[in-house]
Amino acid sequence: MAEPTDKPGYSFNPGPPPEVTSFFRNKGLKPSFAWEDVEAEEHAVAFTVAKAMKMDVLTSIQTALSDAMEAGVPYDQFAKELEPRLRKLGWWGVQEMRDPVTGEMVKVQLGSPRRLKTIYRANMRSARAAGQWDRIERNKSALPYLVYLLGPSEKHRPHHQNKAGMVLPVDDPFWRSWYPPNGWNCKCHVRQITRREAERRGVSESPRIETREEFVARTGEYKDIPIGIDAGWEMNPGAFRQANAEAYLRGRLNTADPDIARVAAKDMASSWRVQRIHDGSASGTAPVAMLPDDLAERLGAKSRVVQLSDYTAAKARAKHPEIEAGGYPVIPDLLEGAEIRLQGATHLVLIGRGDLPWVAVIKRTADGAENYLSTLYRAQSKRYLKRLRERTETVRD
């Protein structure tokens, strides 16, 4: 039975923990005509809104959602501020659009109060649940079990209601698919509990996950979806992202979808460990990026991992207050698209695009075994950039 006194491990006000905002902020943008055009794995790493085919529209919606997450903005304020922007961009009301799959012109609903509410709720709940998963994994030695709980809805889906009160270990395969939310407007959640509480409640047997075969007309393919979960919600995005970050660190995403590898790099750079080292509450090192093979070879590095040390973080806090704990994902971005230069035999200088871009310096150790982020800062002037270029060698323009 449901336990109405239990509360979810996250709240909508005030702003969420940093894991939530980094999960959402690190997503790339993926225009799509229909929700079904994007696989569940892609939803975990890309922000998409059905019928939002232009990047400026997607960017506006993602920015508004990101700001709302960070500030704990309620839906009414979110919609009031976003609607005028979308109207100005022409993304509002019913319009005719060409379906890229069928080639036909069809009437579609673009922006509307109802659609904004769906966009707000779906993204808030999925991002907060994914952020919660990151904390679940960190705390599972002390809190090794999860209990499935229903939300405050008046009516519950039968398959969700049947899961209420189920207690399983964090590592049980059940949570790879049945980790809420498990569908549109699903308000189910989990709570992490101790072994003692799990034993008191009664640990459940790991259930067999029954699936249904669903035909996706837009792709012409059949998919196996767990019965009781809406299509597109059948995967734990937090676990998927975490597994990708670990695979990226082991160098196993070299041939993966570039969007997945790109988000994995940013997730690694915005991890809880990096944030704690940055704010001085943890010592040691943490990975913030991976050098591409060609840059590692040019630098003479035996490892591709770039680490942030507590020493560098302390210097950054003192000299460059513009760097916030969530700012390190700029390193993977710079490695991907910045101007790259070599300073001496041991330093890579990354210069971002624009007038006063981010500048990062990566240093390899004398034996080539390790690489460290030496510094990260905003360029002070064009004159400074000119002098920097004069004393370094071009690797990539």
Side-chain angles (χ1 to χ4, degrees):
M1 294 179 63
E3 299 177 72
T5 57
D6 278 329
K7 301 294 183 184
Y10 52 87
S11 63
F12 283 87
N13 195 23
E19 301 93 341
V20 175
T21 53
S22 63
F23 171 86
F24 186 76
R25 185 173 55 245
N26 290 349
K27 282 188 172 188
L29 298 175
K30 187 176 183 65
S32 67
F33 185 81
W35 174 264
E36 298 89 342
D37 291 344
V38 183
E39 296 289 340
E41 293 83 357
E42 293 178 287
H43 281 294
V45 299
F47 175 68
T48 187
V49 175
K51 311 300 185 297
M53 304 292 287
K54 295 181 179 180
M55 296 301 287
D56 55 357
V57 172
L58 269 181
T59 300
S60 294
I61 300 174
Q62 186 186 43
T63 300
L65 282 167
S66 182
D67 292 345
M69 286 180 191
E70 293 185 10
V73 172
Y75 166 73
D76 289 342
Q77 181 181 340
F78 161 82
K80 182 179 179 180
E81 294 174 355
L82 181 57
E83 181 178 336
R85 286 183 247 166
L86 297 180
R87 286 184 179 275
K88 187 175 181 180
L89 292 170
W91 199 80
W92 198 262
V94 177
Q95 296 184 25
E96 281 199 342
M97 291 182 68
R98 187 177 300 279
D99 186 331
V101 173
T102 66
E104 299 178 354
M105 294 296 294
V106 293
K107 285 188 176 182
V108 298
Q109 176 69 60
L110 302 181
S112 70
R114 182 177 180 179
R115 286 211 66 196
L116 289 190
K117 184 171 289 188
T118 298
I119 291 167
Y120 178 88
R121 288 178 172 174
N123 283 280
M124 287 288 185
R125 287 176 181 145
S126 60
R128 291 171 188 270
Q132 185 191 20
W133 182 260
D134 190 50
R135 301 193 301 281
I136 286 169
E137 286 285 359
R138 292 205 312 269
N139 298 327
K140 67 181 180 183
S141 59
L143 302 166
Y145 289 87
L146 297 176
V147 55
Y148 190 104
L149 300 166
L150 298 176
S153 301
E154 292 184 4
K155 292 184 179 180
H156 302 288
R157 299 172 222 206
H159 287 93
H160 296 199
Q161 194 163 12
N162 290 340
K163 306 293 186 297
M166 179 178 290
V167 176
L168 290 168
V170 169
D171 293 328
D172 193 282
F174 175 81
W175 303 117
R176 299 294 161 175
S177 54
W178 270 97
Y179 178 73
N182 293 311
W184 297 101
N185 294 319
C186 172
K187 300 182 181 67
C188 296
H189 56 278
V190 299
R191 186 164 66 84
Q192 195 168 12
I193 60 177
T194 63
R195 185 179 303 278
R196 177 175 294 182
E197 183 177 349
E199 291 172 350
R200 178 175 59 79
R201 286 174 173 267
V203 178
S204 310
E205 290 188 12
S206 184
R208 178 175 176 270
I209 299 175
E210 298 182 352
T211 61
R212 67 185 187 277
E213 191 175 62
E214 187 164 307
F215 179 69
V216 183
R218 295 187 62 78
T219 63
E221 299 175 343
Y222 286 91
K223 293 177 62 178
D224 287 329
I225 308 294
I227 296 174
I229 298 180
D230 293 349
W233 297 84
E234 68 271 16
M235 185 187 63
N236 180 335
F240 180 77
R241 289 270 289 265
Q242 191 173 68
N244 284 338
E246 292 170 357
Y248 184 84
L249 182 59
R250 295 192 299 268
R252 296 181 182 177
L253 283 183
N254 290 333
T255 59
D257 185 307
D259 290 336
I260 292 178
R262 188 177 300 114
V263 172
K266 290 186 175 184
D267 284 344
M268 186 169 62
S270 56
S271 69
W272 67 275
R273 173 73 176 164
V274 168
Q275 293 177 35
R276 290 184 63 205
I277 288 175
H278 174 84
D279 64 26
S281 62
S283 58
T285 64
V288 291
M290 294 282 284
L291 291 174
D293 288 332
D294 59 331
L295 292 183
E297 182 178 356
R298 185 65 183 272
L299 191 61
K302 298 175 184 177
S303 169
R304 294 176 54 212
V305 180
V306 179
Q307 302 179 72
L308 171 70
S309 69
D310 50 10
Y311 174 73
T312 299
K315 286 198 306 180
R317 291 195 305 273
K319 297 179 63 177
H320 303 292
E322 71 271 21
I323 304 173
E324 298 179 351
Y328 290 98
V330 73
I331 305 298
D333 285 341
L334 291 174
L335 283 168
E336 184 175 313
E339 175 185 352
I340 308 291
R341 306 186 72 85
L342 190 65
Q343 186 173 31
T346 59
H347 291 69
L348 274 181
V349 180
L350 287 55
I351 304 175
R353 308 298 177 179
D355 291 338
L356 297 177
W358 283 103
V359 176
V361 179
I362 295 171
K363 177 185 178 180
R364 70 160 172 81
T365 55
D367 60 3
E370 296 179 301
N371 309 298
Y372 288 93
L373 177 67
S374 177
T375 187
L376 174 66
Y377 57 92
R378 283 278 192 186
Q380 301 166 0
S381 66
K382 291 183 180 180
R383 183 179 178 183
Y384 172 82
L385 289 174
K386 181 180 179 181
R387 293 200 306 268
L388 182 59
R389 291 186 175 102
E390 288 173 349
R391 62 176 186 261
T392 54
E393 175 189 351
T394 301
V395 175
R396 182 179 76 200
D397 289 328

